[in-house]
């Protein structure tokens, strides 16, 4: 199976802060990878480099067989941790806007999902609550058929109900398709069953990269338990 | 059929195998029945399809299910298989509780009498 | 999809454009109402309207040129843009085209509104047809030059903004020094371009006002200057695109 994402010796520095160092790994098609680590460990930076939003200081990055170019971006869906949509746009306008850039955007499906989730097409993005904005971001991503989907903390700062709903949306989307997914998250409950692999970041480096089932067989630990083991010690 | 809660500390594929076996033992899946595809099962259980794939492969290796090329996975038509699975499962469960009760210091005779009482 | 980006920008700045237009219209009406008795004052009015309005427009051009990308960055929408399948070429040129459209609209409005006093004077026979036409020519020509200047300023400041974003300098003083160095280098560049266009007539367009006075526009900008400015504008946009693609990130 070919590698959909390939990075080698990835190094990223912001001013004097080293965000990523020595990251070398490959991700195959269809893998659903959990990216875990404390804040500032480099997870976001890693995903952003794969999206093409951030450029590496040094190192090699290849997504879908090439550099993260305009053509490659058409097959990537990225759900940012930040509120990135234009707040003055109505949801319907946002749909039209996205459709003009992503030909794989299924507007009907998006409208249906939005309806199911109770999001009014006429509302402006800025008028939505945080939970709704998160759901909007996820729906916009899963209304497309990208080959690679990257999610950066899709559950952060939202209520439990929104979280459950997003979880269900994601599960259906990921399990159904043959897509490659990277999900950076602190919450692994309910999610770790769909991870095929998990990568832990600490202070910019990869400290663990394991197949989940092997983790369970070898150590008898869940991803969550492993997380506490690796990062648990309060220092 | 309710979706089981998986213990994330244990290999999921083993738990999926148990789930399928339970379905067989309970008669929800009969000998010769077609079992859900990897994808459908994964969707229902909310797990990674690869894990379901592995479970199915192991079940096939054990002889519990078999694959008909192009048609999917089916429960072994041999009725004895069910008997065997049932026996194994019951034995495992009983053994587990017998051990725990023993740890509490309860003698075999006490367990037997208690069981007799409870099941009457 | 440059068109989509341009339209998005226009919509985002729609309110501002409207406010501007409203202000200029208000100025025109106020001036007209206050001075409709005095011909001499009325004669000056069109020039005043054009001058004041365009000074505002120039200020707006500088603001837009400098802040269009920065605003996106502050609101996290730059991240959105960068994640879209678009390249720097589309982002930079769409911002310019959006501004171009707005400033074209504003310029047309300014030109139109400044003609109102002239029409009034024509109707009340305060001036004759020939004078009217010559005044119209003057006003239009001045407005056109201001329009070009606004575009140029936008490009100049947009490039500076891209420069700042690329270098990621946060220190105010460093950025200020950078700004002056940039302006100096730019002026040197334009001087070089002027020499390149040395084959153009070395004269400034001359204008006649309705009082029969003549003056040169924009402190003596001649055809060489205008051509040099245009070329500099193109160079800045192209350089801006290259720099954006190479170095701008969130």
């Amino acid at each position: 199976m070919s590698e959909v994402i390939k990075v080698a010796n990835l190094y990223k520095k912001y001013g004097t802060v080293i965000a990523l160092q020595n990251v070398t790994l490959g991700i195959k098609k269809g893998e659903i990878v959990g990216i875990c680590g404390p804040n500032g460990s480099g997870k976001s930076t890693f995903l952003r480099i794969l999206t093409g939003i951030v450029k590496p200081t040094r190192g090699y990055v290849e997504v879908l067989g090439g550099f993260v170019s305009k053509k490659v971006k058409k097959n990537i869906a990225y759900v940012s941790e930040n509120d990135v949509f234009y707040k003055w746009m109505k949801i319907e306008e946002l749909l039209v806007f996205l459709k003009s850039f992503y030909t794989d955007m299924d507007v009907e499906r998006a409208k249906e999902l939005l309806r199911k989730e109770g999001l009014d097409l006429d509302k402006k993005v800025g008028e939505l609550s945080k939970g709704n904005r998160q759901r909007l971001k996820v729906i916009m991503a899963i209304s497309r058929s990208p080959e690679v989907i990257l999610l950066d903390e899709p559950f952060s700062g939202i209520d439990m109900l929104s979280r459950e709903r997003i979880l269900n949306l994601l599960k259906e989307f990921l399990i159904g398709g043959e897509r490659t997914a990277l999900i950076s998250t602190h919450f692994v409950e309910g999610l770790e069953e769909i991870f095929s692999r998990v990568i832990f970041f600490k202070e910019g480096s990869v400290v663990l990269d394991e197949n989940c089932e092997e983790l369970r067989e070898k150590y008898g630990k869940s991803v969550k338990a492993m997380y506490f083991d690796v990062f648990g010690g309060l220092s | 059929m309710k979706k089981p809660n998986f213990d994330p500390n244990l290999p999921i594929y083993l738990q999926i195998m148990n789930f399928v076996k339970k379905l067989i033992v309970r008669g929800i899946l009969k000998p010769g029945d077609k079992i859900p595809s990897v994808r459908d099962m994964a969707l229902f259980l909310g797990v990674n399809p690869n894990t379901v794939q592995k479970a199915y492969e192991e079940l096939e290796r054990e002889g519990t299910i078999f694959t008909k090329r192009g048609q999917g996975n089916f429960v072994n038509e041999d009725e004895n298989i069910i008997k065997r699975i049932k026996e194994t499962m019951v034995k495992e469960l009983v053994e587990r509780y017998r051990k725990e009760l023993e740890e509490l210091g309860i003698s075999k005779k006490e367990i037997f009498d208690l069981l007799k009482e409870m099941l009457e | 999809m440059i068109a989509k980006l341009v339209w998005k920008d226009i919509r985002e700045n729609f309110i501002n454009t409207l406010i501007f237009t409203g202000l200029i219209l208000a100025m025109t009406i106020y001036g007209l109402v206050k001075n409709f008795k005095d011909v001499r004052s009325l004669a000056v009015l069109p020039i005043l309207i054009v001058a004041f309005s365009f000074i505002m427009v120039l200020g707006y051009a500088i603001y837009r040129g400098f802040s269009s990308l920065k605003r996106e960055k502050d609101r996290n929408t730059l991240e959105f843009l960068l994640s879209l399948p678009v390249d720097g070429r589309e982002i930079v040129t769409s911002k310019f085209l959006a501004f171009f459209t707005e400033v074209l609209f504003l310029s047309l409005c300014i030109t139109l509104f400044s003609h109102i006093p002239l029409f009034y004077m024509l109707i009340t026979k305060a001036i004759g047809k020939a004078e009217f036409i010559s005044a119209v020519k003057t006003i239009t020509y001045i407005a056109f030059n201001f329009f070009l200047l606004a575009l140029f300023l936008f490009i100049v400041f947009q490039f500076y903004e891209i420069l700042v974003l690329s270098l990621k300098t946060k220190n105010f003083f460093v950025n200020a020094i950078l700004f002056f160095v940039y302006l100096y280098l730019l002026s040197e560049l334009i001087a070089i371009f002027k020499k390149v266009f040395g084959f153009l007539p070395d004269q400034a367009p001359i204008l006649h006002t309705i009082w029969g006075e003549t003056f040169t526009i924009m402190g003596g900008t001649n055809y060489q200057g205008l051509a040099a400015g245009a070329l500099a504008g193109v160079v800045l946009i192209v350089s801006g695109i290259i720099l954006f693609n190479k170095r701008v990130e969130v």
Side-chain angles (χ1 to χ4, degrees), chain A residues 112-128:
Chain A
E112 200 195 302
L113 283 171
L114 288 164
R115 200 165 30 228
K116 247 187 16 176
E117 295 295 316
L119 291 166
D120 186 2
L121 286 168
D122 246 352
K123 265 210 156 146
K124 296 196 177 152
V125 171
E127 292 169 353
L128 300 173

Side-chain angles (χ1 to χ4, degrees), chain A residues 189-208:
Chain A
E189 280 98 352
L191 203 54
E192 69 166 283
E193 291 93 24
I194 63 167
F195 288 161
S196 55
R197 176 174 167 192
V198 70
I199 298 176
F200 285 1
F201 274 87
K202 185 175 182 177
E203 287 162 13
S205 302
V206 172
V207 293
L208 183 137

Side-chain angles (χ1 to χ4, degrees), chain C residues 167-200:
Chain C
L167 297 174
K168 296 193 200 152
T169 45
K170 301 215 170 86
N171 189 313
F172 173 76
F173 292 110
V174 170
N175 284 338
I177 294 171
L178 181 69
F179 179 66
F180 288 115
V181 169
Y182 166 59
L183 281 189
Y184 171 70
L185 290 172
L186 185 62
S187 60
E188 290 294 305
L189 186 71
I190 294 181
I192 294 173
F193 284 162
K194 266 192 181 165
K195 295 215 181 83
V196 166
F197 286 112
F199 59 90
L200 287 175

Side-chain angles (χ1 to χ4, degrees), chain C residues 34-198:
Chain C
K34 238 192 153 211
N35 296 299
F36 71 92
K37 293 206 181 88
D38 181 2
V39 175
R40 191 107 188 142
S41 302
L42 270 186
V44 182
L45 195 56
I47 302 277
L48 283 181
I49 292 171
V50 168
F52 277 122
S53 311
F54 270 109
I55 287 177
M56 286 199 291
V57 167
L58 293 183
Y60 185 54
I62 293 174
Y63 166 71
R64 284 289 299 280
F66 178 71
S67 74
S68 64
L69 285 172
K70 184 163 191 312
R71 253 187 330 175
E72 300 253 15
K73 185 170 181 161
D74 289 342
R75 296 174 189 176
N76 286 325
T77 52
L78 183 62
E79 185 177 324
F80 181 39
L81 278 182
L82 290 174
S83 70
L84 289 173
V86 294
D87 51 32
R89 182 182 61 94
E90 289 167 293
I91 296 176
V92 174
T93 50
S94 68
K95 294 243 170 251
F96 171 70
L97 287 174
F99 178 74
F100 179 91
T101 313
E102 287 159 42
V103 88
L104 181 64
F105 174 74
L106 284 172
S107 303
L108 289 173
C109 286
I110 293 170
T111 313
L112 214 73
F113 295 156
S114 60
H115 280 55
I116 295 176
L118 292 177
F119 269 114
Y120 180 75
M121 288 195 289
L122 184 69
I123 292 172
T124 59
K125 305 259 198 305
I127 55 170
K129 209 163 170 204
E131 288 168 310
F132 175 76
I133 291 175
S134 124
V136 164
K137 274 195 197 158
T138 309
I139 298 290
T140 311
Y141 192 80
I142 294 174
F144 181 65
N145 278 279
F146 268 114
F147 168 70
L148 292 179
L149 186 59
L151 291 179
F152 184 70
L153 281 178
F154 176 86
I155 296 172
V156 167
F157 279 85
Q158 184 187 51
F159 182 80
Y160 173 63
E161 183 195 34
I162 295 176
L163 204 59
V164 169
L165 279 176
S166 310
L167 297 174
K168 296 193 200 152
T169 45
K170 301 215 170 86
N171 189 313
F172 173 76
F173 292 110
V174 170
N175 284 338
I177 294 171
L178 181 69
F179 179 66
F180 288 115
V181 169
Y182 166 59
L183 281 189
Y184 171 70
L185 290 172
L186 185 62
S187 60
E188 290 294 305
L189 186 71
I190 294 181
I192 294 173
F193 284 162
K194 266 192 181 165
K195 295 215 181 83
V196 166
F197 286 112

Side-chain angles (χ1 to χ4, degrees), chain A residues 15-72:
Chain A
T16 51
V17 179
I18 297 176
L20 284 176
Q21 53 185 333
N22 285 327
V23 180
T24 300
L25 50 92
I27 295 175
K28 298 197 180 69
K29 181 168 150 104
E31 286 198 68
I32 301 176
V33 186
I35 313 260
C36 307
N39 293 328
S41 53
K43 317 191 296 285
S44 270
T45 310
F46 179 63
L47 289 180
R48 287 146 90 92
I49 289 178
L50 296 177
T51 319
I53 295 173
V54 168
K55 295 172 180 53
T57 310
R58 278 201 307 267
Y60 177 75
V61 179
E62 186 188 287
V63 177
L64 292 170
F67 293 119
V68 191
S69 61
K70 186 170 149 182
K71 196 167 140 219
V72 165

